[in-house]
Amino acid sequence: MVKLKVNFSLTQLEYVMAVHKYGHFAKAAEACFVTQPTLSMQIQKLEDELGVVIFDRTKKPILLTDAGKKLISQMQTVLFEARKIESILLEGTKGSRKGILTVGVIPTVAPYLLPRLLPVCVETLPDLELNIKEMQTDHIIEALNKDEIDVGVLATPTEVATMFEYPLYYEPFYVLCDKNHDYAQQKKIKYQSLSMDDIWLLEEGHCLRNQVLDLCSVKKKKGIERKYKFESGSLETLKNLVDLYGGYTLLPQLATHTIGDRSHVVQFERPIPAREIGLVCRREHYKSELVEALGEAIVKAIPEELRKIKQKDLDVLPIT
């Protein structure tokens, strides 16, 4: 039996992953803080050592060859496993909670959670460095799979087989409407009675949009035509529309803490619609202690009333 002896460096694999990500040698070199000739030479050396061509350089953007497609996942795994060594050295002794976490947070959580979370981290996790990115759910899952981020804070469960999830808290939904709206006259509202006629929605790609549409049973209502149609990437924009123009939208509880003077918040009758917020990371993650520490900090950062909410009192909506 012939035994193959393949020599390569982790740096070469990182260069390959960068070209795969950016589809461009110059952009990959810039991201890796090296010159393009250096990056290209190292990838060429790797290809020569492996005896295969990883990239089709005739395509724009640069694409993987068939051989490259077979190798890329394993290269990513090798890098992921190698970084465990770095993490162990950074963290030092078990339980030190020292290191770096790159975190993706969905846009309907980030502006309401982060101002509460960061002071808690400063106080309780002084040796934890956070690199935080605001990302939609699909982008978080993709970035986790590519090992571009360590953990995501998003609505769960995602039911992605390769991911491990830590549920943290449940967040009820509320109706936000202008003070002259029919809903404002009600003490509590049944979500089965919501109309699609004057609701303001988030744009495609936000899991909260899907939850709202599910809540309003829009799939059962055909032929609805509205005079003004606007979909936003920001809950704050929707709040301003309600306050200055009218209509209504649905907000998670943390987003209701600041509203306009002409707006009114209405609670739902039981079962109260809600979402589950949790941490998501790759299984067997090498920064599991830091991920758990982040989860504890998030729970400490949210208001006490949210910590007390139990799932049995809610109708937790799916995210798709």
Side-chain angles (χ1 to χ4, degrees):
M1 180 181 291
V2 178
K3 291 185 178 180
L4 293 176
K5 292 185 178 180
V6 179
N7 294 312
F8 59 83
S9 69
L10 296 177
T11 299
Q12 288 173 325
L13 299 189
E14 288 175 347
Y15 291 169
V16 169
M17 297 307 300
V19 174
H20 177 49
K21 177 180 179 179
Y22 293 101
H24 196 281
F25 276 84
K27 291 179 180 178
E30 184 179 354
C32 293
F33 303 102
V34 296
T35 64
Q36 183 177 339
T38 297
L39 180 137
S40 298
M41 180 185 68
Q42 288 298 323
I43 291 178
Q44 183 66 60
K45 285 179 65 176
L46 178 62
E47 289 177 323
D48 292 343
E49 179 66 35
L50 298 177
V52 298
V53 177
I54 299 172
F55 292 108
D56 183 348
R57 292 156 173 82
T58 67
K59 305 290 186 181
K60 294 193 182 300
I62 303 295
L63 298 176
L64 292 167
T65 61
D66 289 342
K69 291 175 183 177
K70 294 177 182 178
L71 292 171
I72 199 73
S73 178
Q74 189 58 41
M75 289 180 177
Q76 183 176 324
T77 299
V78 169
L79 284 172
F80 183 82
E81 293 296 323
R83 286 171 184 154
K84 289 183 180 179
I85 298 173
E86 178 185 357
S87 179
I88 291 169
L89 293 173
L90 282 173
E91 291 178 20
T93 58
K94 185 175 177 64
S96 66
R97 298 188 168 187
K98 178 180 180 180
I100 302 171
L101 270 184
T102 302
V103 185
V105 188
I106 57 174
T108 58
V109 168
Y112 314 109
L113 177 63
L114 293 181
R116 299 172 177 272
L117 173 62
L118 297 185
V120 173
C121 288
V122 169
E123 179 185 350
T124 63
L125 299 168
D127 295 323
L128 176 64
E129 180 180 331
L130 292 177
N131 298 325
I132 303 171
K133 303 178 181 182
E134 190 172 277
M135 311 167 73
Q136 291 185 8
T137 297
D138 289 347
H139 296 157
I140 288 177
I141 299 301
E142 181 181 357
L144 287 169
N145 278 321
K146 292 181 177 179
D147 199 27
E148 294 172 354
I149 63 174
D150 297 311
V151 62
V153 182
L154 63 161
T156 52
T158 64
E159 298 183 351
V160 177
T162 56
M163 299 296 160
F164 190 87
E165 301 181 355
Y166 301 81
L168 296 176
Y169 62 92
Y170 297 98
E171 188 173 21
F173 288 112
Y174 290 78
V175 169
L176 180 78
C177 59
D178 70 90
K179 288 183 176 179
N180 295 319
H181 199 283
D182 290 344
Y183 295 159
Q185 315 312 313
Q186 302 182 40
K187 255 190 171 182
K188 292 185 178 181
I189 190 168
K190 292 182 179 179
Y191 65 75
Q192 295 91 338
S193 67
L194 292 176
S195 165
M196 287 297 296
D197 294 344
D198 59 347
I199 189 172
W200 300 108
L201 293 170
L202 289 169
E203 64 191 4
E204 292 279 359
H206 291 271
C207 57
L208 182 55
R209 170 194 170 91
N210 296 334
Q211 290 175 313
V212 170
L213 290 177
D214 190 48
L215 196 60
C216 298
S217 302
V218 69
K219 295 174 185 176
K220 301 176 184 176
K221 302 177 182 179
K222 304 295 182 183
I224 296 173
E225 288 295 330
R226 299 172 59 194
K227 186 175 181 181
Y228 301 116
K229 299 176 183 178
F230 175 76
E231 296 179 356
S232 172
S234 163
L235 285 179
E236 292 304 303
T237 302
L238 300 186
K239 288 164 67 174
N240 287 333
L241 276 170
V242 168
D243 195 54
L244 299 175
Y245 177 78
Y248 83 98
T249 193
L250 267 61
L251 297 178
Q253 183 170 325
L254 288 182
T256 65
H257 287 192
T258 56
I259 63 171
D261 294 337
R262 288 183 280 184
S263 295
H264 183 70
V265 172
V266 186
Q267 296 182 14
F268 281 102
E269 290 185 8
R270 295 194 179 199
I272 301 168
R275 64 178 181 176
E276 178 185 272
I277 299 298
L279 296 180
V280 178
C281 64
R282 288 178 59 170
R283 292 190 180 276
E284 305 293 333
H285 202 283
Y286 56 91
K287 295 184 179 180
S288 58
E289 286 190 43
L290 295 184
V291 171
E292 290 174 11
L294 176 64
E296 291 171 8
I298 289 174
V299 172
K300 186 174 182 180
I302 61 174
E304 185 178 359
E305 68 233 38
L306 272 189
R307 291 198 293 270
K308 290 181 177 179
I309 293 175
K310 304 301 181 184
Q311 185 178 6
K312 63 181 179 63
D313 300 321
L314 307 170
D315 182 6
V316 179
L317 301 176
I319 66 172
T320 57

